[in-house]
Amino acid sequence: MSAALHSYRAFLRVVAAMPKQQRGAAIQQARSELAFFRDVSDPAEAARLVDAFDGRIAYLRMTTPRRPASQKGRTSIVYRNGEKVDAARERDKAKWSNWDGSNMDPDSVVRHNR
């Protein structure tokens, strides 16, 4: 039974990343499957059912996005002169640099060729 509980907890972590519309149905189906596990007395049959449930979890991990779509990643808030400024657009850049995409640092090339 502890293997079934471990699998159920893993399932709940995967379901948390699913879209809200699909969560309820997935949880209900998993609960009904695990309720069926309680009635199984043969340890080999119980292990087979838990393995099948783990396979379902693996499939959900492959098909479910890692993060909800509402998250846009890391952001920075910058205030200049008391006003909020978009950090991505207002980064200070060097006025002049001799490095561009066409030339390489000779020391880096030497380290790479070692």
Side-chain angles (χ1 to χ4, degrees), residues 6-60:
H6 182 271
S7 295
Y8 182 65
R9 287 183 185 127
F11 177 77
L12 289 179
R13 284 191 293 272
V14 171
V15 167
M18 291 175 73
K20 289 184 180 182
Q21 300 84 2
Q22 298 173 358
R23 286 182 200 168
I27 290 174
Q28 282 300 104
Q29 188 175 7
R31 285 181 182 163
S32 65
E33 286 181 32
L34 290 175
F36 177 71
F37 289 2
R38 287 187 216 143
D39 299 334
V40 175
S41 59
D42 182 28
E45 179 67 15
R48 188 189 67 75
L49 290 172
V50 169
D51 286 343
F53 191 69
D54 287 342
R56 186 164 164 227
I57 293 170
Y59 175 75
L60 285 175

